[in-house]
Amino acid sequence: NIIITIIISSFISNLIIKIQENKYENMYHDGETLSISGIVIGNKEEKEYYDRYEIKVINKKYKNTKLYINVSKKKQLKYGDKITIYGEFKEPAQARNYKGFNYKQYLKTLKIYGTVKIEKIEIIAENQANTLMQISNKIFLKIKENIKITYSEEMSKIILGIMLGDTTEIDENTKEEFANSNISHVLAVSGLHISYIILMATTATQKMLGKKLSKIISSLVLVAYMIITGFSISVVRASIMGILTCMAFVLYRKSNTLNNIAISTMIILINNPYSLISTSFLLTYGGTIGIIYFQKIVEKIIK
């Protein structure tokens, strides 16, 4: 039964990868002029000479394809804007040197096909994105705004990284200082953050609703947290494992950490098989499995 399961799952996974590869290759036409409609599904990323946004295409030919668009700083877009664009498609660059950074492979881990350099752009309508995603984005921006008001500029950037995993505004020197201090993991949302969320949600609701309902509430809070933080791999991994642990308590089952890891891995890879080559994926799972297997050995050494 195990051998048959492995053969079937291998066949299905290879078929999915083949379909995905064909889809990407059909989209890659470097220098092609595109005239498409889409919805903005990402907040502005400020670059030196332009602003970058993420959009989801709604045209039939490229429907649900995700692209980056480079827009002049004079043109401001908002999350949920429905737009029509006209511009040149830029195929992502591959690694030029042996084992160098492969930008094309990196974009595949984000399910993004490439970049369009905009020549013409028109906003057709506002608030056209998924309602739940728009609400979560507003919450994210509100939290970000409140943190910036409350703390100094430098401190607010670090707190954003610790709370929401948003390190886009942290300068390279600060990141290097965290790395040299061996505490870079603090800036990546992980099991520690999820544990605190479960603890706070459970403590706040347990007396009023009971243990079972408090665990269900904690699970819903984790789902909301995943949406607000943009479904980054480390957040999804830790949140799914947290939800499975809570549900095991509700259903009177014993939670198995390795089973939880396997289930979270399967969910992430079904959504995007290219996550397997993502640095975030390798580090979050490598770190978690390493802790599980070496915890007892390290405890003995310390004692």
Side-chain angles (χ1 to χ4, degrees):
N1 287 340
I2 292 171
I3 292 169
I4 291 169
T5 304
I6 291 170
I7 291 170
I8 292 171
S9 60
S10 298
F11 174 77
I12 293 170
S13 60
N14 278 282
L15 183 64
I16 291 169
I17 287 289
K18 191 69 178 174
I19 292 168
Q20 287 281 358
E21 277 292 332
N22 287 335
K23 196 174 178 183
Y24 276 103
E25 291 304 320
N26 289 334
M27 182 69 188
Y28 292 144
H29 298 290
D30 193 40
E32 180 185 4
T33 301
L34 296 179
S35 179
I36 54 179
S37 299
I39 296 172
V40 178
I41 56 168
N43 295 310
K44 177 175 68 175
E45 290 182 48
E46 292 188 16
K47 303 296 179 181
E48 190 174 356
Y49 302 109
Y50 59 86
D51 291 331
R52 187 170 74 179
Y53 297 87
E54 184 183 340
I55 68 164
K56 183 164 73 173
V57 181
I58 55 177
N59 292 62
K60 272 191 177 181
K61 186 178 179 182
Y62 304 115
K63 194 169 184 180
N64 294 327
T65 299
K66 292 181 182 178
L67 296 168
Y68 279 143
I69 58 171
N70 294 341
V71 183
S72 168
K73 288 185 175 290
K74 295 177 183 178
K75 191 72 174 179
Q76 296 296 309
L77 302 177
K78 291 182 294 184
Y79 192 100
D81 283 351
K82 184 179 179 181
I83 58 174
T84 56
I85 60 172
Y86 180 83
E88 183 183 352
F89 178 80
K90 292 287 184 184
E91 184 177 340
Q94 298 195 65
R96 295 180 180 178
N97 302 316
Y98 178 65
K99 289 192 176 181
F101 177 67
N102 192 324
Y103 187 57
K104 182 182 277 189
Q105 289 285 63
Y106 169 71
L107 287 188
K108 284 181 180 179
T109 66
L110 302 175
K111 299 179 83 172
I112 293 171
Y113 285 74
T115 305
V116 178
K117 187 178 179 182
I118 299 299
E119 294 176 21
K120 293 179 184 177
I121 184 168
E122 183 184 352
I123 300 172
I124 301 171
E126 296 180 348
N127 301 321
Q128 297 298 303
N130 179 281
T131 306
L132 181 61
M133 298 305 292
Q134 282 193 181
I135 293 169
S136 66
N137 185 66
K138 285 178 181 177
I139 293 170
F140 171 81
L141 293 176
K142 191 65 179 175
I143 293 171
K144 195 171 180 178
E145 182 188 338
N146 288 338
I147 289 172
K148 286 185 175 181
I149 292 170
T150 308
Y151 299 96
S152 66
E153 185 180 353
E154 187 177 352
M155 185 58 70
S156 64
K157 292 174 182 178
I158 295 171
I159 291 173
L160 276 171
I162 294 171
M163 281 186 64
L164 303 173
D166 181 10
T167 59
T168 53
E169 296 184 22
I170 300 177
D171 60 81
E172 292 303 318
N173 289 335
T174 305
K175 288 180 181 178
E176 192 175 339
E177 287 172 4
F178 270 87
N180 292 336
S181 304
N182 292 320
I183 54 172
S184 294
H185 60 279
V186 173
L187 298 176
V189 177
S190 60
L192 178 67
H193 299 70
I194 300 305
S195 298
Y196 281 135
I197 290 170
I198 292 172
L199 178 64
M200 287 188 291
T202 304
T203 305
T205 57
Q206 188 170 307
K207 286 185 180 180
M208 193 185 342
L209 302 173
K211 289 184 178 180
K212 271 192 176 183
L213 273 176
S214 69
K215 293 295 182 185
I216 294 171
I217 296 295
S218 298
S219 299
L220 294 175
V221 172
L222 289 180
V223 172
Y225 188 67
M226 278 194 287
I227 296 170
I228 291 169
T229 52
F231 293 103
S232 64
I233 291 174
S234 59
V235 177
V236 173
R237 191 274 307 163
S239 297
I240 291 173
M241 290 182 68
I243 290 168
L244 290 171
T245 303
C246 290
M247 289 299 102
F249 179 86
V250 172
L251 299 172
Y252 300 105
R253 298 296 180 99
K254 188 176 180 181
S255 178
N256 184 290
T257 306
L258 290 178
N259 283 346
N260 294 348
I261 288 174
I263 292 168
S264 66
T265 305
M266 186 170 65
I267 291 170
I268 289 170
L269 294 181
I270 286 173
N271 177 59
N272 183 12
Y274 292 100
S275 295
L276 188 63
I277 58 174
S278 166
T279 305
S280 299
F281 181 93
L282 297 174
L283 288 176
T284 189
Y285 280 101
T288 305
I289 294 168
I291 289 168
I292 292 167
Y293 278 104
F294 294 110
Q295 180 187 353
K296 291 182 180 178
I297 297 171
V298 173
E299 278 182 353
K300 284 181 182 178
I301 294 168
I302 291 171
K303 286 177 181 178

